[in-house]
Amino acid sequence: MFGNYLIGLREGLEASLVVCILIAYLVKTGRREALRPVWLGIALAVVLSFAFGAALQFGSQTLTFQAQEALGGSLSVIAVCLVTWMVFWMRRTARHLKKELHGKLDAALQMGTVALVVTAFLSVGREGLETALFIWTAAQSAHDGVRPLIGALLGLLTSVALGWLFYRGAVRINLAKFFTWTGGMLVVVAAGVLAYGFHDLQEADFLPGLGTQAFDISAQIPVDSWYGTLLKGIFNFQPDPTVLQVTVWALYLIPTLGFFFAPGKVAPNRATPAGPQSAPVAPKEPEPHDTQVAVPGARNTDVGSGGNGDTERVHDGARRAGEAAGGDEG
């Protein structure tokens, strides 16, 4: 249940931040007429995500056991690939997410209403589809369709509440650290999902080795005990895994965590010290990781009155000084 709560929290918070940034930018720049198509795109993305999850759940029930296991195992591998890409992508781009979304929204505003709907739909829909797929695969591996869904729903509700608090400016957390540590925990959860996905493929006779167990500690950690249930819910733990499951789990988890927490994966978010010949450095726009998203009604500090103009005047002054010096020498 905790693993699914973490999935819902992290994925939902990413979507909530996207919504907050889009809405706050439109409100702050006085373009409230564009809010309706943006909300329409967000609503369509939510509907698509629920429809995708329902199609996975009810569509798989009409299949044979072998086909169900093959589908579950294949989608588990795909879900782990998507989540792994997502956690690395968010760690690299979290600092620039606000600026990137602003650029996409500006382009959509110039293109019209349909472009606004599509922009909001794609920005939120990607997170929704990833969430639906990963939650479904986690629920399938847990053989319990109730508690994983409750955990995921609680995580999504928490992310919506945090998103609203961000929008209101009532809470500030370091989002870079948040996404780093939750990303690391999500990699651990994904390792369990991947291992069980390979077990499904073994049961579907797609992969060999179903009868070759690595160990069996069912007597020490019974599956129906409270701690066995806890380990199953958080890490997708299985007391009697096959050799292939353990191998896949280790080959995924160890190098992935090593690369994820390796230093230098995130560009430093501070200005490089300027040398004596350096050009003036423009003021840095606050990024989502070190401040809350823009609050409607706040004074617009993104566009200063002297930014580009001051730089041009400095360049013009330097050019005139050079011409004067050249005239004196001649």
Side-chain angles (χ1 to χ4, degrees):
M1 185 171 176
F2 175 78
N4 290 277
Y5 175 84
L6 178 63
I7 295 168
L9 174 62
R10 183 190 167 90
E11 296 284 340
L13 186 57
E14 287 186 29
S16 297
L17 286 176
V18 169
V19 172
C20 289
I21 292 172
L22 293 177
I23 300 302
Y25 183 66
L26 291 175
V27 171
K28 192 172 68 170
T29 55
R31 301 171 180 177
R32 291 179 178 269
E33 70 281 357
L35 288 175
R36 181 170 295 180
V38 168
W39 280 117
L40 176 60
I42 293 170
L44 290 175
V46 173
V47 171
L48 176 64
S49 301
F50 277 103
F52 180 60
L56 289 174
Q57 178 62 28
F58 297 109
S60 62
Q61 294 179 356
T62 62
L63 302 175
T64 64
F65 172 78
Q66 187 174 7
Q68 286 183 2
E69 297 301 301
L71 176 65
S74 301
L75 291 180
S76 295
V77 175
I78 294 173
V80 170
C81 292
L82 288 175
V83 168
T84 305
W85 172 82
M86 177 268 298
V87 295
F88 278 93
W89 176 83
M90 179 54 73
R91 191 179 178 202
R92 288 196 307 268
T93 61
R95 299 176 183 273
H96 310 292
L97 180 63
K98 181 179 177 182
K99 192 176 297 183
E100 178 182 338
L101 288 173
H102 285 182
K104 290 182 179 179
L105 195 55
D106 284 335
L109 285 167
Q110 296 177 0
M111 296 173 64
T113 302
V114 176
L116 284 172
V117 174
V118 172
T119 298
F121 174 79
L122 293 178
S123 299
V124 178
R126 184 193 65 188
E127 306 296 340
L129 292 176
E130 288 180 357
T131 304
L133 177 58
F134 201 72
I135 289 175
W136 182 82
T137 54
Q140 291 296 112
S141 63
H143 297 291
D144 183 358
V146 178
R147 283 179 294 184
L149 292 180
I150 293 176
L153 182 60
L154 291 175
L156 290 172
L157 292 176
T158 304
S159 68
V160 171
L162 285 175
W164 184 81
L165 291 174
F166 284 142
Y167 181 78
R168 303 300 300 176
V171 65
R172 299 167 64 118
I173 63 174
N174 190 317
L175 292 179
K177 291 184 178 179
F178 173 84
F179 283 123
T180 296
W181 289 107
T182 57
M185 288 188 288
L186 200 55
V187 168
V188 177
V189 174
V193 172
L194 182 64
Y196 206 89
F198 271 77
H199 182 266
D200 285 344
L201 292 176
Q202 287 180 309
E203 289 190 329
D205 292 331
F206 272 50
L207 295 174
L210 181 61
T212 308
Q213 291 183 340
F215 53 83
D216 188 353
I217 53 175
S218 302
Q220 291 76 22
I221 306 179
V223 178
D224 54 353
S225 64
W226 68 267
Y227 46 92
T229 304
L230 183 64
L231 290 173
K232 178 71 173 178
I234 297 177
F235 304 111
N236 219 341
F237 173 77
Q238 183 178 345
D240 54 347
T242 64
V243 173
L244 180 61
Q245 282 183 269
V246 175
T247 303
V248 168
W249 181 86
L251 289 178
Y252 169 82
L253 181 64
I254 296 173
T256 303
L257 282 181
F259 281 116
F260 186 74
F261 287 110
K265 292 297 179 184
V266 182
N269 192 29
R270 51 181 179 271
T272 303
Q277 303 296 327
S278 300
V281 179
K284 181 181 74 69
E285 181 184 2
E287 301 294 345
H289 79 286
D290 55 9
T291 184
Q292 71 271 27
V293 290
V295 179
R299 190 173 65 179
N300 187 353
T301 59
D302 292 340
V303 182
S305 59
N308 294 334
D310 291 342
T311 305
E312 292 176 358
R313 285 194 292 271
V314 170
H315 291 168
D316 290 343
R319 178 177 52 81
R320 287 195 296 270
E323 292 174 354
D328 293 343
E329 292 174 359

